[in-house]
Amino acid sequence: MTHDIFVSHSSVDVRIAREICSSLEDLGLTCWIAPRDIVPGQSWSGAIVKAIQQSRALVVVLSEPANASVEVLREVELAARGRKTVIGVRIDDIQPSPDLAYFVSSVQWVDAFPGPVQQRLAGLARVAAGLVGAPVPPVEESPKSPEFVEVDLDDFNRSSRRRTGFVRGMFKDR
């Protein structure tokens, strides 16, 4: 089975990697992410190599832990060798390590900071969909605030004398 996106991340960044995966899947993209998609009994390394080969692009979560991860570097290198599109997502204000920079410095990456993270992840999902050739739905516009129309009571055939009489009647006991 092929996937649109392979999500590469350090195990330290698993929470945000799952959020990224979820935002991609919410847009209809198919994702592969460890350890969720490794079948019990399957070798970890074999599953990752096969998943990268069968993916159309790789999203790499860029962070300090990712900079130090040999596994993240291997995944990005495998994707680059397979001529996959590599999309970097910085979750911290860091520069990729020299090893990772070799693979991601020639392309624009996405910053998922500062917040709101959900808006940034939705933008990432739209970019990723476009890069893998998936349909990109139109951006939903926020509902417009209602327009208030000034209405003159005379438009309802109410005379000013009736309005004045009503107001006087309200205060007659005082």
Side-chain angles (χ1 to χ4, degrees), residues 130-151:
L131 288 173
V132 299
V136 181
V139 176
E140 291 183 24
E141 293 184 27
S142 60
K144 294 182 180 180
S145 58
E147 291 184 30
F148 293 98
V149 178
E150 188 175 328
V151 177

Side-chain angles (χ1 to χ4, degrees), residues 33-90:
I33 186 170
R36 178 189 79 178
D37 295 315
I38 297 178
V39 178
Q42 187 179 26
S43 79
W44 190 275
S45 57
I48 288 173
V49 170
K50 186 175 179 181
I52 292 171
Q53 289 171 344
Q54 294 178 345
S55 294
R56 297 163 76 189
L58 178 136
V59 167
V60 57
V61 179
L62 298 171
S63 65
E64 284 299 333
N67 273 342
S69 172
V70 174
E71 299 306 320
V72 169
L73 178 61
R74 286 180 180 152
E75 292 166 359
V76 173
E77 185 175 3
L78 280 171
R81 279 192 192 161
R83 300 202 182 274
K84 310 291 180 181
T85 300
V86 175
I87 306 164
V89 180
R90 288 192 323 161

Side-chain angles (χ1 to χ4, degrees), residues 81-119:
R81 279 192 192 161
R83 300 202 182 274
K84 310 291 180 181
T85 300
V86 175
I87 306 164
V89 180
R90 288 192 323 161
I91 61 170
D92 298 317
D93 190 8
I94 55 99
Q95 293 300 309
S97 68
D99 292 333
L100 281 176
Y102 182 83
F103 299 104
V104 298
S105 64
S106 64
V107 295
Q108 181 68 31
W109 56 66
V110 176
D111 286 338
F113 67 91
V117 172
Q118 290 307 322
Q119 278 184 326

